[in-house]
Amino acid sequence: MTRSEFDDIRAFLADDATHAGDLLRVARTLIDDLEHARMREAVLRTYYLRLLTAARATVAAETVGAPDPLAFVKHELAERGQLPEDGEAVQRILSDARTAAALLACLEQQQPAQVRPRGMRLRRCVGTARTLPR
């Protein structure tokens, strides 16, 4: 949910013309959204844990000189359909990885200079995906 949607909900709740039935509908929608977000987070945590476990097993296998130390990571990527299929995909993935590393390095260099000032938050209207009953 975007900041703009939160602002819209706050304004809707503060409006004296809002009826109790409308508030109940908003509450139900928010509870559904919260449950959906919780489930999505649980799935993402599971994927992350599996990939992290595969990466650690790969490093451990390489340390002991296993014949195919990448088997763990390959298996995890194959289950998600993320193995590169041809040479073009391999080059694109390597290019994406180099670009991501360069962007992260640039962000880390700029991080100290971008301290957010304390105080009132400037509101942005980005557009909303949800409409509130009126």
Side-chain angles (χ1 to χ4, degrees):
M1 185 177 299
T2 66
R3 176 63 64 188
S4 181
E5 287 176 308
F6 279 116
D7 292 342
D8 289 346
I9 290 169
R10 281 189 188 98
F12 180 73
L13 295 175
D15 188 359
D16 291 335
T18 302
H19 301 289
D22 294 336
L23 293 175
L24 186 59
R25 264 195 313 275
V26 169
R28 286 181 179 145
T29 301
L30 291 174
I31 292 295
D32 289 344
D33 287 355
L34 185 60
E35 180 64 19
H36 179 72
R38 192 182 74 66
M39 292 301 295
R40 190 174 58 232
E41 179 188 6
V43 168
L44 289 174
R45 284 178 183 265
T46 301
Y47 289 165
Y48 172 78
L49 181 60
R50 289 180 64 166
L51 188 57
L52 181 62
T53 301
R56 293 186 73 216
T58 296
V59 171
E62 182 185 41
T63 301
V64 297
D68 186 14
L70 289 176
F72 302 102
V73 171
K74 286 179 183 177
H75 173 75
E76 193 59 37
L77 292 175
E79 281 194 6
R80 305 277 169 259
Q82 295 295 317
L83 281 175
E85 296 175 1
D86 57 18
E88 181 180 330
V90 169
Q91 292 307 316
R92 183 179 41 78
I93 292 167
L94 292 173
S95 175
D96 289 349
R98 284 190 290 271
T99 301
L103 288 172
L104 285 174
C106 182
L107 286 174
E108 288 172 357
Q109 289 174 354
Q110 293 177 0
Q111 190 90 11
Q114 295 180 352
V115 177
R116 268 184 85 179
R118 297 282 181 201
M120 289 190 63
R121 179 183 63 80
L122 293 176
R123 298 198 176 192
R124 296 181 302 168
C125 291
V126 181
T128 60
R130 171 175 307 144
T131 58
L132 298 172
R134 286 286 171 187

